[in-house]
Amino acid sequence: MTTKHYTCPACHEENRYKTFVTDRVELERAQGEAIRVTCKHCHESRTIHPNDVFAKPSLLPPVIVAIVVAIPLIILFRLGWIVFSVALIGAPFAVWAAQQQAATRFNGYRIRERQ
């Protein structure tokens, strides 16, 4: 679940764009070639192209996984199952790496603009 953003054409401020699509092709299918957006800073209503939307990794999923893994980690460590507790430490890092990969995949493909 990466967060999607766009830069306002009027005031050049970054705004969040709420969508659950995983790539720009899906975004174009869902919203069309001209996406109507309203800036939260200058309140201008404009259209942007799906290529103007970019993804950033979200920190929420790794933090949630770290919190969920913390209690079993402590319990397993106290029981002496150090190998399993060490394996649990890697879970938040694996989720963070997946977030980075999803953002890179979304930003790596651009749609050809039609004339």
Side-chain angles (χ1 to χ4, degrees):
M1 180 182 88
T2 57
T3 58
K4 311 303 187 287
H5 298 267
Y6 68 93
T7 302
C8 176
C11 68
H12 305 292
E13 289 289 330
E14 189 174 294
N15 290 290
R16 186 165 183 202
Y17 183 74
K18 292 184 180 180
T19 183
F20 291 106
V21 298
T22 56
D23 62 9
R24 288 189 174 115
V25 174
E26 286 182 42
L27 181 61
E28 186 180 33
R29 279 189 203 135
Q31 300 294 322
E33 195 171 315
I35 302 170
R36 195 93 175 133
V37 293
T38 302
C39 179
K40 291 177 179 46
H41 299 281
C42 67
H43 304 290
E44 287 280 330
S45 184
R46 301 280 176 118
T47 59
I48 59 171
H49 191 270
N51 287 342
D52 297 331
V53 178
F54 58 93
K56 285 186 176 180
S58 175
L59 291 178
L60 186 62
V63 168
I64 290 173
V65 169
I67 291 169
V68 169
V69 165
I71 294 170
L73 177 73
I74 293 168
I75 292 170
L76 289 174
F77 192 76
R78 287 185 167 238
L79 290 175
W81 295 4
I82 297 171
V83 173
F84 293 112
S85 61
V86 170
L88 283 177
I89 291 173
F93 295 108
V95 172
W96 177 78
Q99 289 287 308
Q100 293 287 345
Q101 185 180 20
T104 302
R105 187 173 40 249
F106 185 91
N107 295 331
Y109 181 77
R110 298 184 67 82
I111 298 171
R112 271 192 295 174
E113 296 186 36
R114 297 181 183 111
Q115 267 93 39

